[in-house]
Coordinates of all heavy atoms in Angstrom, one line a residue:
E97 N 119.9 54.0 61.5 CA 120.1 52.6 61.1 C 119.5 52.4 59.7 O 120.0 51.6 58.9 CB 119.6 51.6 62.1 CG 120.0 50.1 61.8 CD 119.4 49.2 62.8 OE1 118.3 49.5 63.4 OE2 119.9 48.1 63.1
A98 N 118.4 53.0 59.5 CA 117.6 52.8 58.2 C 118.1 53.7 57.1 O 117.9 53.4 55.9 CB 116.1 53.1 58.5
L99 N 118.7 54.8 57.5 CA 119.1 55.8 56.4 C 120.0 55.2 55.3 O 119.8 55.6 54.1 CB 119.8 57.0 57.1 CG 120.0 58.2 56.3 CD1 118.7 58.8 55.7 CD2 120.7 59.4 57.1
P100 N 121.1 54.5 55.6 CA 121.9 54.0 54.6 C 121.1 53.1 53.6 O 121.5 53.0 52.4 CB 123.0 53.2 55.3 CG 123.0 53.7 56.7 CD 121.6 54.1 57.0
S101 N 120.1 52.4 54.0 CA 119.4 51.5 53.1 C 118.3 52.2 52.2 O 118.1 51.7 51.1 CB 118.7 50.4 54.0 OG 119.6 49.7 54.7
Y102 N 117.8 53.3 52.7 CA 116.7 53.9 52.0 C 117.1 55.2 51.3 O 116.3 55.8 50.6 CB 115.5 54.2 52.9 CG 114.9 52.9 53.3 CD1 115.3 52.2 54.5 CD2 113.9 52.3 52.6 CE1 114.7 51.0 54.9 CE2 113.3 51.1 52.9 CZ 113.7 50.5 54.1 OH 113.1 49.3 54.4
G103 N 118.4 55.7 51.5 CA 118.9 56.8 50.8 C 118.4 58.2 51.2 O 119.2 59.1 51.4
S104 N 117.1 58.4 51.3 CA 116.7 59.7 51.7 C 116.1 59.7 53.1 O 115.6 58.7 53.7 CB 115.5 60.2 50.8 OG 114.4 59.4 50.9
L105 N 116.2 60.9 53.7 CA 115.7 61.1 55.1 C 114.2 60.8 55.2 O 113.7 60.1 56.2 CB 116.1 62.5 55.6 CG 115.7 62.7 57.1 CD1 116.6 61.8 58.0 CD2 116.0 64.2 57.4
G106 N 113.4 61.3 54.3 CA 112.0 61.1 54.3 C 111.6 59.6 54.2 O 110.7 59.2 54.9
A107 N 112.2 58.9 53.3 CA 111.9 57.5 53.2 C 112.3 56.7 54.4 O 111.6 55.8 54.9 CB 112.6 56.9 52.0
A108 N 113.4 57.0 55.0 CA 113.9 56.3 56.2 C 113.0 56.6 57.3 O 112.7 55.7 58.1 CB 115.3 56.7 56.5
W109 N 112.5 57.8 57.4 CA 111.7 58.2 58.6 C 110.3 57.5 58.4 O 109.7 57.1 59.4 CB 111.5 59.7 58.6 CG 110.4 60.1 59.7 CD1 109.2 60.7 59.5 CD2 110.6 59.9 61.1 NE1 108.6 60.8 60.7 CE2 109.4 60.4 61.7 CE3 111.6 59.4 61.9 CZ2 109.2 60.4 63.0 CZ3 111.4 59.4 63.2 CH2 110.2 59.8 63.8
E110 N 109.8 57.3 57.2 CA 108.5 56.7 57.0 C 108.6 55.2 57.4 O 107.7 54.7 58.1 CB 108.1 56.7 55.5 CG 106.8 56.1 55.2 CD 105.7 56.8 55.9 OE1 105.8 58.0 56.2 OE2 104.6 56.1 56.2
V111 N 109.7 54.6 57.2 CA 110.0 53.2 57.7 C 110.0 53.2 59.2 O 109.4 52.3 59.8 CB 111.3 52.6 57.1 CG1 111.6 51.3 57.7 CG2 111.1 52.5 55.5
V112 N 110.7 54.1 59.8 CA 110.8 54.2 61.2 C 109.4 54.4 61.8 O 109.1 53.8 62.8 CB 111.8 55.3 61.7 CG1 111.7 55.5 63.2 CG2 113.2 54.9 61.3
R113 N 108.7 55.3 61.2 CA 107.3 55.6 61.8 C 106.4 54.4 61.8 O 105.7 54.0 62.7 CB 106.7 56.7 61.0 CG 105.4 57.2 61.6 CD 104.8 58.3 60.6 NE 104.5 57.8 59.4 CZ 103.3 57.0 59.2 NH1 102.5 56.8 60.2 NH2 103.1 56.6 57.9
R114 N 106.5 53.5 60.7 CA 105.7 52.3 60.5 C 106.2 51.3 61.6 O 105.3 50.6 62.2 CB 105.8 51.7 59.2 CG 105.1 52.6 58.1 CD 104.7 51.7 56.9 NE 106.0 51.1 56.3 CZ 106.7 51.6 55.3 NH1 106.3 52.8 54.8 NH2 107.7 51.0 54.9
N115 N 107.4 51.2 61.8 CA 108.0 50.2 62.8 C 107.6 50.6 64.2 O 107.2 49.7 65.0 CB 109.5 50.1 62.6 CG 110.0 49.4 61.4 OD1 109.3 48.6 60.8 ND2 111.2 49.7 61.0
L116 N 107.6 51.9 64.5 CA 107.2 52.3 65.8 C 105.7 52.0 66.0 O 105.3 51.7 67.2 CB 107.5 53.8 66.0 CG 109.0 54.2 66.1 CD1 109.1 55.7 66.2 CD2 109.6 53.5 67.3
S117 N 104.9 52.1 65.0 CA 103.5 51.9 65.2 C 103.2 50.4 65.4 O 102.1 50.1 65.9 CB 102.7 52.5 64.0 OG 103.1 51.7 62.8
L118 N 104.1 49.5 65.0 CA 103.8 48.1 65.1 C 104.4 47.5 66.3 O 104.0 46.4 66.7 CB 104.5 47.4 63.8 CG 103.8 47.7 62.5 CD1 104.6 47.1 61.4 CD2 102.4 47.3 62.4
M119 N 105.3 48.2 67.0 CA 105.9 47.7 68.2 C 105.3 48.3 69.5 O 104.7 49.4 69.4 CB 107.4 47.9 68.2 CG 107.9 49.4 68.2 SD 109.6 49.6 68.0 CE 110.3 48.6 69.3
D120 N 105.6 47.7 70.6 CA 105.1 48.3 71.9 C 106.1 49.3 72.3 O 107.1 49.0 73.2 CB 104.9 47.1 72.9 CG 104.1 47.6 74.1 OD1 104.0 48.9 74.3 OD2 103.6 46.8 74.8
Y121 N 106.1 50.5 71.8 CA 107.1 51.5 72.0 C 107.1 51.9 73.5 O 108.2 52.1 74.1 CB 106.7 52.7 71.1 CG 107.7 53.9 71.2 CD1 109.1 53.6 71.2 CD2 107.3 55.2 71.2 CE1 110.0 54.6 71.2 CE2 108.2 56.2 71.2 CZ 109.6 55.9 71.2 OH 110.5 56.9 71.2
A122 N 106.0 52.0 74.1 CA 105.9 52.5 75.6 C 106.6 51.5 76.4 O 107.4 51.8 77.4 CB 104.5 52.7 76.0
E123 N 106.4 50.2 76.2 CA 107.0 49.2 77.0 C 108.5 49.2 76.9 O 109.3 49.0 77.8 CB 106.4 47.8 76.7 CG 107.0 46.7 77.6 CD 106.3 45.4 77.3 OE1 105.4 45.3 76.5 OE2 106.8 44.3 77.9
T124 N 108.9 49.3 75.6 CA 110.4 49.4 75.3 C 111.1 50.5 76.1 O 112.2 50.4 76.7 CB 110.6 49.5 73.8 OG1 110.0 48.4 73.1 CG2 112.1 49.6 73.5
L125 N 110.4 51.7 76.0 CA 111.0 52.9 76.7 C 111.0 52.7 78.2 O 111.9 53.2 78.9 CB 110.3 54.1 76.3 CG 110.4 54.6 74.8 CD1 109.6 55.8 74.6 CD2 111.8 54.8 74.5
L126 N 109.9 52.0 78.7 CA 109.9 51.8 80.2 C 111.0 51.0 80.7 O 111.7 51.4 81.7 CB 108.6 51.1 80.5 CG 108.3 50.9 82.0 CD1 108.2 52.2 82.8 CD2 107.1 50.0 82.2
Y127 N 111.4 50.0 79.9 CA 112.6 49.2 80.3 C 113.9 50.0 80.1 O 114.8 49.9 80.9 CB 112.7 47.9 79.5 CG 111.7 46.8 79.9 CD1 110.7 46.4 79.1 CD2 111.7 46.3 81.2 CE1 109.7 45.5 79.4 CE2 110.8 45.3 81.5 CZ 109.8 44.9 80.7 OH 108.9 43.9 81.1
A128 N 113.9 50.7 79.0 CA 115.1 51.5 78.7 C 115.4 52.6 79.7 O 116.6 53.0 79.8 CB 115.0 52.0 77.3
C129 N 114.4 53.1 80.4 CA 114.6 54.3 81.3 C 115.2 53.8 82.6 O 115.7 54.7 83.3 CB 113.2 55.0 81.5 SG 112.7 55.9 80.1
F130 N 115.1 52.6 82.9 CA 115.6 52.1 84.3 C 117.1 52.3 84.5 O 117.5 53.0 85.5 CB 115.2 50.6 84.4 CG 115.7 50.1 85.7 CD1 115.1 50.4 86.9 CD2 116.8 49.2 85.8 CE1 115.6 49.9 88.1 CE2 117.3 48.7 87.0 CZ 116.7 49.0 88.1
L131 N 117.9 51.9 83.6 CA 119.3 52.0 83.7 C 119.8 53.5 83.7 O 120.6 53.9 84.6 CB 120.1 51.2 82.7 CG 120.0 49.7 82.8 CD1 120.8 49.1 81.6 CD2 120.5 49.2 84.1
P132 N 119.4 54.4 82.9 CA 119.7 55.8 83.0 C 119.3 56.4 84.3 O 120.1 57.2 84.9 CB 119.0 56.4 81.8 CG 118.8 55.4 80.8 CD 118.6 54.1 81.6
L133 N 118.1 56.1 84.8 CA 117.7 56.6 86.1 C 118.6 56.1 87.2 O 119.0 56.9 88.1 CB 116.2 56.2 86.4 CG 115.7 56.7 87.7 CD1 115.7 58.2 87.8 CD2 114.3 56.2 87.9
L134 N 118.9 54.8 87.2 CA 119.8 54.2 88.3 C 121.2 54.8 88.2 O 121.7 55.2 89.2 CB 119.8 52.7 88.1 CG 120.7 52.0 89.1 CD1 120.2 52.2 90.5 CD2 120.8 50.5 88.7
S135 N 121.7 55.0 87.0 CA 123.1 55.6 86.9 C 123.1 57.0 87.3 O 124.1 57.6 87.8 CB 123.6 55.4 85.5 OG 122.8 56.1 84.5
A136 N 121.9 57.8 87.1 CA 121.9 59.2 87.5 C 121.9 59.2 89.1 O 122.5 60.1 89.7 CB 120.6 59.8 87.0
E137 N 121.3 58.3 89.7 CA 121.4 58.2 91.2 C 122.8 57.9 91.7 O 123.2 58.5 92.7 CB 120.4 57.1 91.7 CG 118.9 57.4 91.4 CD 118.4 58.5 92.3 OE1 118.9 58.8 93.4 OE2 117.4 59.2 91.8
L138 N 123.5 57.1 91.0 CA 124.8 56.7 91.4 C 125.9 57.8 91.3 O 127.0 57.7 91.9 CB 125.3 55.5 90.6 CG 124.5 54.2 90.9 CD1 125.0 53.1 90.0 CD2 124.5 53.8 92.4
C139 N 125.6 58.8 90.5 CA 126.6 59.9 90.3 C 126.3 61.2 91.0 O 126.7 62.2 90.7 CB 126.8 60.2 88.8 SG 125.4 60.9 88.0
Q140 N 125.4 61.1 92.1 CA 125.1 62.3 92.9 C 126.2 62.9 93.5 O 126.3 64.1 93.7 CB 124.0 61.8 93.9 CG 122.6 61.6 93.3 CD 121.6 61.5 94.4 OE1 121.8 61.7 95.6 NE2 120.4 61.0 94.0
K141 N 127.2 62.1 94.0 CA 128.4 62.7 94.7 C 129.2 63.6 93.7 O 129.6 64.7 94.1 CB 129.3 61.6 95.2 CG 130.6 62.0 95.8 CD 130.3 62.8 97.1 CE 131.6 63.3 97.7 NZ 132.5 62.2 98.2
R142 N 129.3 63.2 92.5 CA 130.0 64.0 91.5 C 129.2 65.3 91.2 O 129.8 66.4 91.1 CB 130.2 63.3 90.2 CG 131.2 62.1 90.3 CD 132.5 62.6 90.5 NE 133.5 61.5 90.6 CZ 134.8 61.7 90.9 NH1 135.3 62.9 91.1 NH2 135.6 60.6 91.0
L143 N 127.9 65.2 91.2 CA 127.1 66.4 91.0 C 127.2 67.4 92.2 O 127.2 68.6 92.0 CB 125.7 66.0 90.7 CG 124.7 67.1 90.2 CD1 125.2 67.7 88.9 CD2 123.3 66.6 90.1
L144 N 127.3 66.8 93.4 CA 127.4 67.6 94.6 C 128.7 68.4 94.6 O 128.8 69.5 95.1 CB 127.3 66.7 95.8 CG 127.3 67.4 97.1 CD1 126.0 68.3 97.3 CD2 127.3 66.4 98.3
L145 N 129.8 67.8 94.0 CA 131.1 68.5 93.9 C 130.9 69.8 93.1 O 131.7 70.7 93.3 CB 132.1 67.6 93.3 CG 132.7 66.5 94.2 CD1 133.5 65.5 93.4 CD2 133.4 67.1 95.4
Y146 N 130.0 69.9 92.2 CA 129.7 71.1 91.5 C 128.8 72.0 92.2 O 129.0 73.2 92.3 CB 129.2 70.7 90.1 CG 128.7 71.9 89.3 CD1 129.5 72.9 88.8 CD2 127.3 72.2 89.2 CE1 129.1 74.0 88.1 CE2 126.8 73.3 88.5 CZ 127.7 74.2 88.0 OH 127.3 75.3 87.3
T147 N 127.6 71.5 92.7 CA 126.6 72.4 93.3 C 127.0 72.9 94.7 O 126.7 74.0 95.0 CB 125.3 71.6 93.3 OG1 125.4 70.4 94.1 CG2 124.7 71.3 92.0
D148 N 127.7 72.0 95.4 CA 128.1 72.4 96.8 C 129.4 71.7 97.2 O 129.4 70.8 98.0 CB 127.0 72.1 97.8 CG 127.1 72.7 99.2 OD1 128.2 73.3 99.4 OD2 126.2 72.6 100.0
P149 N 130.5 72.2 96.6 CA 131.8 71.5 96.8 C 132.2 71.5 98.3 O 132.8 70.6 98.8 CB 132.8 72.3 96.0 CG 132.1 73.6 95.8 CD 130.7 73.3 95.7
A150 N 131.8 72.6 99.1 CA 132.2 72.6 100.5 C 131.6 71.5 101.3 O 132.2 70.8 102.1 CB 131.9 73.9 101.1
W151 N 130.3 71.2 101.0 CA 129.6 70.2 101.8 C 130.0 68.8 101.3 O 130.1 67.8 102.0 CB 128.1 70.3 101.5 CG 127.3 69.3 102.2 CD1 126.4 68.3 101.5 CD2 127.2 68.9 103.6 NE1 125.8 67.5 102.4 CE2 126.3 67.8 103.7 CE3 127.8 69.4 104.7 CZ2 126.0 67.2 104.9 CZ3 127.5 68.8 106.0 CH2 126.6 67.7 106.0
A152 N 130.3 68.7 100.0 CA 130.8 67.4 99.4 C 132.1 66.9 100.1 O 132.4 65.7 100.2 CB 131.0 67.5 97.9
R153 N 132.9 67.9 100.6 CA 134.2 67.6 101.2 C 134.1 67.6 102.7 O 135.1 67.4 103.3 CB 135.3 68.5 100.7 CG 135.5 68.4 99.2 CD 136.7 69.3 98.8 NE 137.0 69.2 97.3 CZ 136.5 70.0 96.4 NH1 135.6 71.0 96.7 NH2 136.8 69.8 95.1
D154 N 132.9 67.9 103.2 CA 132.8 68.0 104.7 C 132.7 66.6 105.3 O 132.0 65.7 104.8 CB 131.4 68.7 105.0 CG 131.3 69.1 106.4 OD1 131.4 68.2 107.3 OD2 131.2 70.3 106.7
P155 N 133.5 66.3 106.3 CA 133.4 65.0 106.9 C 132.1 64.5 107.5 O 131.8 63.3 107.6 CB 134.5 65.1 108.1 CG 134.6 66.5 108.4 CD 134.4 67.2 107.1
R156 N 131.2 65.5 107.8 CA 129.8 65.1 108.2 C 129.0 64.4 107.1 O 128.3 63.5 107.3 CB 129.1 66.4 108.7 CG 129.6 66.9 110.0 CD 128.9 68.2 110.4 NE 129.3 69.3 109.4 CZ 128.8 70.5 109.5 NH1 128.0 70.9 110.4 NH2 129.2 71.4 108.5
Y157 N 129.3 65.0 105.8 CA 128.6 64.3 104.7 C 129.1 62.9 104.5 O 128.4 62.0 104.3 CB 128.9 65.1 103.4 CG 128.4 64.5 102.2 CD1 127.1 64.5 101.8 CD2 129.3 63.9 101.3 CE1 126.6 63.9 100.7 CE2 128.9 63.3 100.1 CZ 127.5 63.3 99.8 OH 127.1 62.7 98.7
A158 N 130.4 62.7 104.6 CA 131.0 61.4 104.5 C 130.5 60.4 105.6 O 130.3 59.3 105.4 CB 132.5 61.4 104.5
A159 N 130.4 61.0 106.8 CA 129.9 60.2 107.9 C 128.5 59.8 107.8 O 128.1 58.6 108.2 CB 130.1 60.9 109.3
A160 N 127.6 60.6 107.3 CA 126.2 60.4 107.2 C 125.8 59.5 106.0 O 124.7 59.0 105.9 CB 125.4 61.7 107.1
Q161 N 126.7 59.4 105.0 CA 126.4 58.6 103.8 C 126.1 57.1 104.2 O 126.8 56.6 105.0 CB 127.6 58.6 102.8 CG 127.5 59.8 101.9 CD 128.6 59.7 100.8 OE1 129.8 59.5 101.0 NE2 128.1 59.8 99.5
Y162 N 125.1 56.6 103.5 CA 124.8 55.2 103.8 C 125.9 54.2 103.5 O 126.5 54.2 102.3 CB 123.5 54.8 103.0 CG 123.1 53.4 103.2 CD1 122.3 53.1 104.4 CD2 123.5 52.3 102.4 CE1 121.9 51.7 104.6 CE2 123.0 51.0 102.6 CZ 122.3 50.7 103.7 OH 121.9 49.4 104.0
A163 N 126.3 53.4 104.5 CA 127.4 52.5 104.2 C 127.0 51.0 104.5 O 127.7 50.1 104.1 CB 128.6 52.9 105.1
G164 N 125.9 50.8 105.2 CA 125.5 49.5 105.6 C 124.2 49.5 106.3 O 123.5 50.5 106.3
G165 N 123.8 48.4 106.8 CA 122.5 48.2 107.5 C 122.5 48.9 108.8 O 123.4 49.7 109.2
L166 N 121.4 48.7 109.6 CA 121.1 49.4 110.8 C 122.2 49.1 111.9 O 122.4 49.9 112.8 CB 119.7 49.1 111.4 CG 118.6 49.7 110.6 CD1 117.2 49.3 111.2 CD2 118.6 51.3 110.6
L167 N 122.8 47.9 111.8 CA 123.8 47.5 112.7 C 125.3 47.8 112.3 O 126.2 47.4 112.9 CB 123.6 46.1 113.1 CG 122.3 45.7 113.7 CD1 122.2 44.2 114.0 CD2 122.0 46.5 115.0
Y168 N 125.4 48.4 111.0 CA 126.8 48.5 110.5 C 127.6 49.4 111.3 O 128.8 49.1 111.6 CB 126.7 49.1 109.1 CG 128.0 49.3 108.4 CD1 128.8 48.3 108.0 CD2 128.5 50.6 108.3 CE1 130.0 48.5 107.4 CE2 129.7 50.8 107.7 CZ 130.5 49.8 107.3 OH 131.7 50.0 106.7
N169 N 127.1 50.5 111.8 CA 127.9 51.5 112.7 C 127.2 51.7 114.0 O 127.3 52.7 114.6 CB 128.1 52.8 111.9 CG 129.2 53.6 112.5 OD1 130.2 53.1 112.9 ND2 128.9 54.9 112.6
Y170 N 126.5 50.6 114.5 CA 125.8 50.8 115.7 C 126.7 50.5 116.9 O 127.5 49.5 116.9 CB 124.6 49.8 115.8 CG 123.9 49.7 117.2 CD1 123.2 50.8 117.6 CD2 124.1 48.6 118.0 CE1 122.5 50.8 118.8 CE2 123.4 48.6 119.2 CZ 122.7 49.6 119.6 OH 122.0 49.6 120.9
R171 N 126.8 51.4 117.9 CA 127.6 51.3 119.0 C 126.7 51.2 120.3 O 126.1 52.2 120.6 CB 128.6 52.5 119.2 CG 129.5 52.4 120.4 CD 130.3 53.6 120.5 NE 131.2 53.5 121.7 CZ 131.9 54.6 122.2 NH1 131.8 55.8 121.6 NH2 132.7 54.4 123.2
P172 N 126.6 50.1 120.9 CA 125.8 50.0 122.1 C 126.2 50.9 123.2 O 127.4 51.3 123.3 CB 126.0 48.5 122.5 CG 126.6 47.8 121.3 CD 127.3 48.8 120.6
D173 N 125.3 51.4 124.0 CA 125.7 52.3 125.1 C 126.6 51.5 126.1 O 126.4 50.4 126.4 CB 124.4 52.7 125.9 CG 123.5 53.5 125.1 OD1 124.0 54.2 124.1 OD2 122.3 53.5 125.3
G174 N 127.6 52.2 126.4 CA 128.6 51.6 127.4 C 129.5 50.7 126.7 O 130.1 49.8 127.4
M175 N 129.7 50.7 125.4 CA 130.6 49.8 124.8 C 132.0 50.0 125.3 O 132.6 51.1 125.3 CB 130.6 50.2 123.3 CG 131.6 49.3 122.5 SD 131.5 49.8 120.7 CE 132.7 48.5 120.0

Side-chain angles (χ1 to χ4, degrees):
E97 191 180 28
L99 192 58
S101 301
Y102 291 91
S104 68
L105 186 62
W109 175 248
E110 183 62 25
V111 173
V112 170
R113 189 184 63 80
R114 287 202 304 267
N115 288 337
L116 290 176
S117 64
L118 295 175
M119 66 186 301
D120 195 341
Y121 185 41
E123 183 178 352
T124 302
L125 293 181
L126 182 62
Y127 285 116
C129 287
F130 175 73
L131 290 180
L133 178 60
L134 180 60
S135 62
E137 294 289 333
L138 296 177
C139 66
Q140 285 189 10
K141 177 64 181 296
R142 292 293 180 183
L143 190 60
L144 186 64
L145 285 171
Y146 170 72
T147 57
D148 193 351
W151 177 242
R153 297 183 178 93
D154 195 300
R156 290 173 296 180
Y157 173 74
Q161 274 190 306
Y162 181 83
L166 291 175
L167 299 180
Y168 178 74
N169 197 37
Y170 174 69
R171 180 186 180 187
D173 294 337
M175 179 180 182

